[in-house]
C-alpha cells in the first residue's frame, strides 16, 4: 500500500497567512480558497473590498486545480486555443488562471484558488501561499 502526505490545519493556516500577506502587500482585495485533493474546501477567506463573486470563483479555481492535478490556467489555455469541449467537463467550473495545485513529494495534496484581481496576480498570490510550506 502506498502512502502520501496530506494537508493539516496548520498547513492550511500557513498557506492562507502567506497568501493574505502577498495580497495585502500589493493592496489586492481577493478571496483565497484552499481545498484538499478531493476538492473539499478547507479554507475560504474574503479580504475587505473583494467582490462578492470572488467567493464563488476562488473555490471553483481551487477545486479545478486539485481535481485536475494541474494549474487551472491550463484549462483556460486549452479553451482559448480552441479546445472548447473542456467547457462541458464535469465538476470543472474554475477554468481561469488563479488555481494552483499543491504538490508535495510528487503528490497533489490540494490546491489554492484566488480571485479578485488579474488572473496572473491571483496565481501569484496562490503561489506565495503555497511557498509557505517549503
Amino acid at each position: 500500500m502506498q502512502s502520501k502526505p496530506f494537508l493539516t490545519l496548520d498547513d492550511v493556516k500557513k498557506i492562507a497567512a502567506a497568501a493574505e500577506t502577498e495580497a495585502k502587500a500589493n493592496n489586492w482585495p481577493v478571496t483565497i480558497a484552499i481545498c484538499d485533493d478531493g476538492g473539499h474546501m478547507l479554507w475560504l477567506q474574503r479580504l475587505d473590498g473583494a467582490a462578492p463573486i470572488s467567493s464563488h470563483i476562488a473555490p471553483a479555481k481551487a477545486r479545478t486545480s486539485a481535481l485536475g492535478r494541474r494549474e487551472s490556467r491550463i484549462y483556460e489555455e486549452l479553451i482559448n486555443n480552441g479546445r472548447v469541449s473542456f467547457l462541458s467537463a464535469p465538476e470543472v467550473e474554475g477554468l481561469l488562471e488563479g488555481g494552483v495545485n499543491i504538490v508535495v513529494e510528487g503528490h497533489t495534496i490540494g490546491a489554492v484558488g484566488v480571485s479578485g484581481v488579474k488572473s496572473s496576480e491571483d496565481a501569484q498570490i496562490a503561489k506565495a501561499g503555497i511557498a509557505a510550506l517549503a
Side-chain angles (χ1 to χ4, degrees):
M1 179 175 293
Q2 294 183 350
S3 61
K4 69 176 189 172
F6 62 91
L7 287 170
T8 65
L9 181 57
D10 284 342
D11 295 332
V12 171
K13 288 179 179 180
K14 284 179 195 173
I15 294 167
E20 179 182 354
T21 297
E22 180 71 13
K24 286 185 173 180
N26 291 288
N27 201 27
W28 292 334
V30 297
T31 296
I32 300 161
I34 304 170
C35 68
D36 66 13
D37 60 340
H40 306 98
M41 281 300 105
L42 301 173
W43 189 272
L44 181 69
Q45 176 179 3
R46 192 172 112 196
L47 301 182
D48 293 340
I53 191 68
S54 67
S55 64
H56 293 278
I57 297 171
K61 288 179 179 183
R63 271 192 306 277
T64 295
S65 180
L67 294 173
R69 297 182 179 166
R70 65 193 67 180
E71 289 190 39
S72 58
R73 73 171 171 78
I74 301 299
Y75 296 103
E76 181 177 13
E77 291 169 0
L78 286 168
I79 293 164
N80 288 343
N81 288 323
R83 189 99 190 266
V84 295
S85 60
F86 267 102
L87 292 171
S88 66
E91 302 299 320
V92 181
E93 298 174 340
L95 301 171
L96 304 166
E97 183 177 9
V100 180
N101 55 319
I102 303 166
V103 180
V104 175
E105 299 173 10
H107 299 279
T108 293
I109 62 168
V112 179
V114 179
S115 178
V117 289
K118 292 179 185 175
S119 290
S120 61
E121 295 166 347
D122 290 341
Q124 178 182 327
I125 294 165
K127 289 175 183 177
I130 294 166
L133 289 181

